[in-house]
Amino acid sequence: MVILDGKKISNDIKNEIALEVKSMTAKGNRPPHLAAIIVGNDGASLTYVGSKVRACERVGFDSSLISLSESINENELLDKVNQLNNDDNIDGYIVQLPLPKHIDSQKILMSVDPEKDVDGFHPTNFGRMALNLPTFISATPYGIMELLKRYDVQTEGKHTVVIGRSDIVGKPISLLMGLKTNPGNSTVTMVHSRTKNIKDLIKQADIIISALGIPNFVKEDMVKDGVVVIDVGITRVKDNSEKGYKIIGDVDYENVSKKASFITPVPGGVGPMTIAMLLKNTLQSYKG
Ligand code: GUN
């Protein structure tokens, strides 16, 4: 069994990016600049955005964190988005999700300039991804593809079962795994809350990609021997630690890992990859 070490690979990627930034700034160019808009005080969102800003420092990017009050209205937020669209010093930016309920997230995401949409959430970029055209691929699915690539996991002709159909993970990774690419070229089944015989389908998988958000949903008896397991779940479960919680994946790692050929740990698997890929997208935007 091989552990797909997202922490290590994301560090490799950050080092590669830092080297590129160093050589560009040595020539007198400004560094790439990533901005993040965060609305409100959601604990998990603040943690994620904080990690993204720290990662920028680490690779030599400039970063701007725009923190807005929970009570901001949709038009004020749209104004902010337009400001970033028109700021030539910003190569890419993200609007951290989820947004407060009184704001129409789709409307906001649609108003992000696709050329600065380093999250890859704009329909233009999602469509380009589906057609295998150059684009910004969303950080989490992009990170999964990069992990599979760097560990040379064979995906061609394999049966990939994606658990979950979210816009930011399940849907895009299902498309990517079915593209005529490597990694890719697999036969994809997407299962979700309305799927009948979900356990039978998961048991047929050569590759399981779980983005469900139910701790320890995938059990040893639901997988076949030699399965490749990508666990995208990051559910906070209260405990007695100093932080007050721990992060639990969708997969019962201790038992499922005994049957797996490759598996991602939680934490330290897909999570760190997402930040590295966001930086990669920002670098790509900078280079034009
Ligand atoms: N919320 C959870 N994941 C993400 C992400 O990848 N990007 C943004 N903007 N918000 C998120």
Side-chain angles (χ1 to χ4, degrees):
M1 187 269 292
V2 175
I3 294 173
L4 298 169
D5 187 345
K7 202 162 176 202
K8 178 193 174 293
I9 301 294
S10 69
N11 272 323
D12 292 349
I13 294 169
K14 284 185 215 163
N15 289 338
E16 292 159 18
I17 294 172
L19 268 180
E20 270 200 61
V21 172
K22 213 168 167 186
S23 89
M24 291 180 308
T25 51
K27 291 181 198 139
N29 298 306
R30 70 161 175 83
H33 188 162
L34 173 69
I37 297 180
I38 181 161
V39 181
N41 298 309
D42 175 66
S45 289
L46 288 168
T47 306
Y48 296 145
V49 170
S51 308
K52 290 169 186 177
V53 169
R54 273 196 308 281
C56 282
E57 284 164 18
R58 149 101 199 270
V59 299
F61 284 9
D62 285 338
S63 64
S64 301
L65 179 57
I66 299 145
S67 298
L68 303 170
S69 149
E70 178 91 24
S71 63
I72 192 170
N73 70 37
E74 201 171 273
N75 281 334
E76 289 167 322
L77 184 53
L78 282 171
D79 283 346
K80 204 75 219 170
V81 164
N82 279 325
Q83 249 177 47
L84 295 179
N85 284 344
N86 293 315
D87 185 338
D88 288 340
N89 283 313
I90 288 180
D91 302 293
Y93 69 96
I94 64 163
V95 181
Q96 186 66 28
L97 302 178
L99 289 169
K101 289 205 170 54
H102 64 275
I103 291 175
D104 179 349
S105 302
Q106 275 307 333
K107 195 167 168 187
I108 303 298
L109 296 179
M110 293 272 277
S111 59
V112 173
D113 178 350
E115 298 203 354
K116 292 192 175 189
D117 171 38
V118 285
D119 252 336
F121 290 169
H122 192 284
T124 296
N125 288 326
F126 196 95
R128 292 181 65 88
M129 175 198 69
L131 296 170
N132 197 20
L133 296 169
T135 186
F136 299 118
I137 298 171
S138 300
T140 305
Y142 193 10
I144 294 168
M145 297 302 274
E146 193 68 20
L147 257 186
L148 293 171
K149 185 160 141 190
R150 294 202 183 210
Y151 278 90
D152 201 20
V153 176
Q154 297 305 300
T155 62
E156 182 170 326
K158 300 288 167 84
H159 182 199
T160 296
V161 174
V162 175
I163 311 175
R165 55 178 158 179
S166 70
D167 291 346
I168 63 179
V169 186
K171 233 179 266 175
I173 196 65
S174 297
L175 281 164
L176 289 169
M177 288 299 285
L179 289 180
K180 217 175 206 176
T181 52
N182 181 30
N185 266 325
S186 77
T187 305
V188 180
T189 302
M190 189 206 275
V191 302
H192 49 74
S193 55
R194 305 299 159 90
T195 301
K196 293 181 180 145
N197 63 351
I198 192 165
K199 289 190 177 173
D200 293 344
L201 289 163
I202 294 170
K203 187 102 192 200
Q204 291 169 30
D206 301 309
I207 301 169
I208 295 170
I209 302 177
S210 186
L212 190 67
I214 300 180
N216 297 325
F217 174 81
V218 178
K219 301 276 195 308
E220 186 182 2
D221 64 352
M222 288 161 64
V223 308
K224 68 178 181 191
D225 276 324
V227 67
V228 175
V229 181
I230 308 290
D231 187 351
V232 193
I234 40 165
T235 307
R236 288 184 174 201
V237 175
K238 286 198 173 95
D239 72 357
N240 294 323
S241 69
E242 207 174 300
K243 277 197 290 192
Y245 66 88
K246 60 180 172 179
I247 303 288
I248 307 281
D250 287 354
V251 177
D252 175 5
Y253 182 89
E254 192 185 333
N255 295 307
V256 171
S257 60
K258 292 177 197 154
K259 291 173 94 175
S261 54
F262 295 89
I263 188 166
T264 59
V266 175
V270 175
M273 290 299 293
T274 64
I275 295 185
M277 303 323 276
L278 177 67
L279 299 173
K280 216 169 156 72
N281 278 342
T282 307
L283 181 65
Q284 182 189 320
S285 178
Y286 170 87
K287 292 202 264 186

